[in-house]
Amino acid sequence: MLSNPPQTQTSKSQTTVMLDRLPDMPVTHHGCSRRTRVQLDLALLAIEALNLNGSQDILALAKQLELDGILPNRVTLWRVRNTNPLRRAHRRRPMSLTEAKALTAIVCYMARRMTLALRQLLKEYQQLVQQQLPLEKSPQLAFYLERFRAHFRSRMNPRRSAILVYSTDEKLNELAIALLEQLLFCTGTAGMQRFWVSLFDGEV
Amino acid sequence: MVVRRKYSLPECTLIVEGIGDPQGADERSTRPLLSVLVSAECHLVGKPHALTGDRAFLEAFAATVDRYARGMMSGLSVSSPPDSPVTVEPVSENDRANASLHRLSVRQPDAAEPLRLDLTTLQLFDLVEALDQMLADRRTLPDWAIEFQPRTRREAHNEEPIQKRAAPFALGASGLVIAALALFSLPVPEVERPREPLPDASEDTSELTTTPNGDPPTATPPDAAENAAENTSAAVPELDEALETVPEITDPDRLLALRYNLYQDLDRNWTTEPTFDRDLVYRVTVGIDGAILGYRPENSPARDYADETPLQELVYVPVEGGTAQAESLAEFKVVFTENGVLQVSPWDGYPSTPNDPPTIDDIATLENLLFEVRDDLYDEWTTEPRFDRDLEYRLAVTEDGAIARYEPLSSAASLYFPELPIEPLYDPASSIVLKDGKVNLAPLAEFRVVFTPRGTLEISPWDGY
C-alpha cells in the first residue's frame, strides 16, 4: 500500500546512512532538550500500548537495525527513556544526539510495521467522533486507549504539573489519539526526517 | 516529450505532468526525467473538486502542508506561511463532531471565494505522503527538495495563535495592579502579616475581665490562664525530666538545620491573624527528627494567645500515648511578634558558629541541574512577557530541582514576580532532608537567572563557571 516497506535486512553502511539522514541539531553537550526526551518516550509508550510485545520488539529491532551499539540491552533502553523528566523513575542524565537518533529510527520503523493498525484505529476514531459516539464502541480503539492509560499512569510521576493535566481518562485519550496521529506521520517516506525535525521545533 | 506521473495513496492521488528531459537519461533507470512541471492535479477521495495548479502553486502547497504536518508531530501550533495561496488549520476544537478535521483552504486565481476542504487526518497524511513521494522521486523534478529545518525558539514563539497571545494583552491594563497586590504574598524569610486595627490595650483588658468565665473564642481570662497553660503545655514537666536524661543537641550544624525546619513548620501553619499586641515568647523542644515534642509559654501573652499560634496542632503526640521519646533534643526560642514576624533561635544560642549550609559543588551535577532548572522554568513559563527589561533572580535549588529560596535582584524583578514561572517550582521545605531520622540541610546550588522580555531566559551558576 505504501512505498518504502520496512526493511528487514539492513547492512551496517545502511544504518549509518539512515542515521546520517537525520541532521545534527545544535544541542549543547548536555544533550537533547526536555521536549525531545518527553516526545520520544511518549511515542514509545504509544507503541507499547499498540503492540503487546512492544518492549521485546523494540530491542529486537534495535539489533536488526544494528543500533545495539547505542542501545545494547533493556537496561540501557530503560535508562535512556528515563531521561524523560515526567517519569517516576526519572534520572538526571543527558540524552545524546546519537541516542535520540536511534530512538527516532526505532519509533519510525516500529510505526511502519504497524501502518495498517494505525490507519484502522484512526479511521474508527474519525467515524465515532463524527457520529458522536463514545470511543468505547470500537473494541480495538478501546483496548489501545485502556492500555495506553495504564502504561501512562504506572510510569509517569503524578506530582509533576505537566502530568496533572492528564488526570482524567478523557485527557489521556486525547493524548493517546494525538500520538496515533504522530505515529501515522512517522510511517511516511519523509516521516523519519519530519519526526526528527519536529522534536527540535522551536528549540534551536 | 510529455511525461505523466501518478502518486497513488488510499485517500489521495497526485498527478503531475511535465516535459521530459532527453538529456536526463540515466543508465540506472529507464523512466524519463521529468524536469519541467506543466501542471499538477490532486484528487482527494470523497471530494468533488480536484486541486490544480502550476509549479509555484505546488511549491506553496507542499510547503504549507509540510509545516502543518510537522506541527501535528511536534504538538506545537504552526501557522501557514503568510501570503501563501494555501492554508491549513485545525477545525475548531469546540465542534465535537468535526474535531480532528483539518481545513484546507486554497485561493484560486479565477475564483472569488477560496476553496475549502475539510480533511480527515488520514486524508491529510496521504496528501503529505503523495507530495513526499513525488519529492523523493529522483526522476521527477530533481531540482526540488524539501529542506527540513526546525524553527527557532523565536519563530515558534511568534507563531502562537492570535487568540492565545491576545489574552495576556487584554489583561495588560489591570496587570500592574494585580502584580502590585500579589507582592504581599511574596514569601520572604520573615513575613509581615496584614492585621486588623486593634482596640487599645486598656479597652482590651476590661473586655477580658468582664468576660463571663465561659470560654471566650480568642482569649483566656487571666485567672483561667494558669490552668490553660498547664493544659496546653502538659508535656513540659515530663520534658524537663527528659531533658535531664536525653542528651541535648550541641552540634551547631544540626541546630541550624533544626532551626530552619522549625521555622518552616511554624511559618507554613501560622495562618491565624494576630489579635495580640505584645510578642508571644515560647520555649519549644524539638527532637532530632524535627518533631515538636513540647512547648512552654515564657510570658503571659504567650499563655493567653496560645491558640493563635500553630504550636498546639503541631505538637507530636505518639500514637501509643505518653510523651515522645527522642534520642536527643534541642530547645528553641520562638517569638511570634505582634506585627506578624516569626523569629526562631536556639534557646542557648549556638555553641560555636555553624558551618555554611552545604552546597552542590560537583561540576557535572551542577551543569545537569542548570539545564534541568532551565527546562522546568521554560515549562512553567506560559505567559507572554509584559515587562520591558531583563529581570534578574538569584535561585537556590536542591538536587531534585526544587527552588528552595529565591531572591529578586531588582524592584522590577519582584514587581513582575507573578508573571514569572518561579512560584510553581518554589518549595521552601525542600531544603530540609530527613536522613536516618535526623534533620539535615539539603545541599543547594545557586543560580543567577535572567528573564528577558523576548521570552527567553539565561541561567548561569551564581559563582560563575
Side-chain angles (χ1 to χ4, degrees), chain A residues 201, chain B residues 63-69 71 76-82 84 86-90 151 155-162 165:
Chain A
D201 204 20
Chain B
T64 299
V65 170
D66 166 57
R67 280 168 73 105
Y68 187 80
L76 301 174
S77 59
V78 178
S79 56
S80 297
S84 172
V86 186
T87 57
V88 191
E89 56 189 11
R151 292 173 303 165
E155 288 166 336
H157 189 74
N158 288 343
E159 272 185 35
E160 271 184 40
I162 301 297
R165 277 200 289 162

Side-chain angles (χ1 to χ4, degrees), chain A residues 1-3 23 25-26 28-30 32-35 37 39 85-86 90 92-94 118-120 122-123 125-126 129-133 135 160-162 170 177-178 181-182 184-191 193-204, chain B residues 8-11 65-66 69-76 78 96-102 119-122 124-126 128-129 132-133 136 146 148-154 156 364-365 367-372 374-376 379-380 398-401 424-425:
Chain A
M1 178 171 58
L2 291 173
S3 69
M25 292 292 168
T28 64
H29 62 286
H30 302 279
C32 301
S33 77
R34 172 198 189 85
R35 200 165 62 77
R37 289 176 276 142
Q39 292 279 318
L86 306 181
H90 168 56
R92 202 176 306 110
R93 161 197 187 282
L118 289 168
R119 293 187 74 102
Q120 192 56 40
L122 283 170
K123 192 164 215 150
Y125 170 72
Q126 195 80 46
V129 167
Q130 252 157 11
Q131 297 161 23
Q132 310 219 24
L133 291 171
L135 301 183
R160 299 300 301 246
S161 56
E170 200 188 1
I177 298 291
E181 293 178 340
Q182 185 191 61
L184 175 70
F185 279 87
C186 286
T187 64
T189 304
Q193 284 103 312
R194 196 174 275 116
F195 180 48
W196 175 247
V197 166
S198 79
L199 293 173
F200 298 87
D201 204 20
E203 302 273 349
V204 297
Chain B
S8 278
L9 284 132
E11 307 268 343
V65 170
D66 166 57
R70 226 184 296 161
M72 280 190 69
M73 292 180 102
S74 68
L76 301 174
V78 178
R96 185 77 179 85
N98 286 315
S100 87
L101 288 182
H102 316 275
L119 307 185
T120 65
T121 301
L122 280 178
L124 180 74
F125 170 72
D126 283 349
V128 170
E129 180 59 15
D132 279 352
Q133 286 188 11
I146 279 197
F148 290 103
Q149 273 295 330
R151 292 173 303 165
T152 62
R153 219 175 253 290
R154 184 97 199 248
T365 315
E367 290 195 339
N368 279 339
L369 194 53
L370 182 141
F371 281 82
E372 184 88 350
R374 185 199 63 174
D375 286 352
D376 284 349
D379 217 36
E380 299 289 348
T398 67
E399 236 167 8
D400 293 328
L425 304 170

Side-chain angles (χ1 to χ4, degrees), chain B residues 37-40 53-64 84-86 144:
Chain B
L37 182 87
V38 176
S39 74
D54 56 6
R55 167 137 182 185
F57 166 77
L58 196 61
E59 281 187 15
F61 192 33
T64 299
S84 172
V86 186
W144 178 15

Side-chain angles (χ1 to χ4, degrees), chain B residues 312-378:
Chain B
Q312 179 64 48
E313 55 180 287
L314 290 177
V315 170
Y316 173 70
V317 182
V319 199
E320 60 275 18
T323 44
Q325 289 298 312
E327 52 179 298
S328 48
L329 301 169
E331 286 191 302
F332 288 91
K333 180 176 182 180
V334 174
V335 182
F336 298 87
T337 72
E338 41 92 23
N339 57 6
V341 176
L342 176 66
Q343 295 165 350
V344 178
S345 55
W347 189 261
D348 295 317
Y350 294 102
S352 58
T353 316
N355 291 310
D356 290 335
T359 52
I360 298 171
D361 296 322
D362 175 54
I363 295 293
T365 315
L366 202 61
E367 290 195 339
N368 279 339
L369 194 53
L370 182 141
F371 281 82
E372 184 88 350
V373 172
R374 185 199 63 174
D375 286 352
D376 284 349
L377 287 170
Y378 267 128

Side-chain angles (χ1 to χ4, degrees), chain A residues 118-160:
Chain A
L118 289 168
R119 293 187 74 102
Q120 192 56 40
L121 287 173
L122 283 170
K123 192 164 215 150
E124 288 181 12
Y125 170 72
Q126 195 80 46
Q127 285 165 354
L128 291 172
V129 167
Q130 252 157 11
Q131 297 161 23
Q132 310 219 24
L133 291 171
L135 301 183
E136 290 71 34
K137 287 276 179 199
S138 153
Q140 289 89 342
L141 195 57
F143 183 67
Y144 162 70
L145 293 174
E146 199 183 309
R147 272 175 63 89
F148 179 80
R149 292 195 306 262
H151 280 333
F152 187 94
R153 288 189 174 129
S154 67
R155 301 195 196 162
M156 299 300 155
N157 183 349
R159 286 177 303 148
R160 299 300 301 246

Side-chain angles (χ1 to χ4, degrees), chain A:
Chain A
M1 178 171 58
L2 291 173
S3 69
N4 286 25
Q7 286 154 299
T8 44
Q9 291 295 314
T10 313
S11 75
K12 189 143 206 124
S13 62
Q14 273 178 303
T15 303
T16 323
V17 168
M18 176 182 74
L19 291 192
D20 282 351
R21 285 223 310 270
L22 306 178
D24 280 352
M25 292 292 168
V27 298
T28 64
H29 62 286
H30 302 279
C32 301
S33 77
R34 172 198 189 85
R35 200 165 62 77
T36 307
R37 289 176 276 142
V38 173
Q39 292 279 318
L40 281 169
D41 187 36
L42 286 180
L44 289 168
L45 202 69
I47 287 172
E48 285 173 311
L50 283 168
N51 176 337
L52 294 174
N53 266 332
S55 54
Q56 276 94 327
D57 286 1
I58 287 170
L59 282 171
L61 180 66
K63 207 172 165 72
Q64 203 181 343
L65 296 177
E66 298 186 14
L67 297 171
D68 46 352
I70 305 163
L71 301 168
N73 52 44
R74 193 175 297 277
V75 175
T76 317
L77 179 65
W78 183 77
R79 285 212 182 111
V80 175
R81 292 186 64 183
N82 274 323
T83 59
N84 172 2
L86 306 181
R87 277 189 168 243
R88 285 177 198 268
H90 168 56
R91 292 287 170 274
R92 202 176 306 110
R93 161 197 187 282
M95 178 191 273
S96 70
L97 263 188
T98 317
E99 285 166 338
K101 285 182 184 182
L103 289 186
T104 300
I106 285 174
V107 166
C108 292
Y109 275 80
M110 289 294 287
R112 278 188 200 173
R113 288 182 182 179
M114 300 187 295
T115 301
L116 272 178
L118 289 168
R119 293 187 74 102
Q120 192 56 40
L121 287 173
L122 283 170
K123 192 164 215 150
E124 288 181 12
Y125 170 72
Q126 195 80 46
Q127 285 165 354
L128 291 172
V129 167
Q130 252 157 11
Q131 297 161 23
Q132 310 219 24
L133 291 171
L135 301 183
E136 290 71 34
K137 287 276 179 199
S138 153
Q140 289 89 342
L141 195 57
F143 183 67
Y144 162 70
L145 293 174
E146 199 183 309
R147 272 175 63 89
F148 179 80
R149 292 195 306 262
H151 280 333
F152 187 94
R153 288 189 174 129
S154 67
R155 301 195 196 162
M156 299 300 155
N157 183 349
R159 286 177 303 148
R160 299 300 301 246
S161 56
I163 298 300
L164 280 178
V165 181
Y166 298 110
S167 55
T168 63
D169 280 6
E170 200 188 1
K171 282 284 170 197
L172 268 182
N173 288 351
E174 277 174 27
L175 175 66
I177 298 291
L179 288 167
L180 280 186
E181 293 178 340
Q182 185 191 61
L183 288 176
L184 175 70
F185 279 87
C186 286
T187 64
T189 304
M192 195 152 94
Q193 284 103 312
R194 196 174 275 116
F195 180 48
W196 175 247
V197 166
S198 79
L199 293 173
F200 298 87
D201 204 20
E203 302 273 349
V204 297

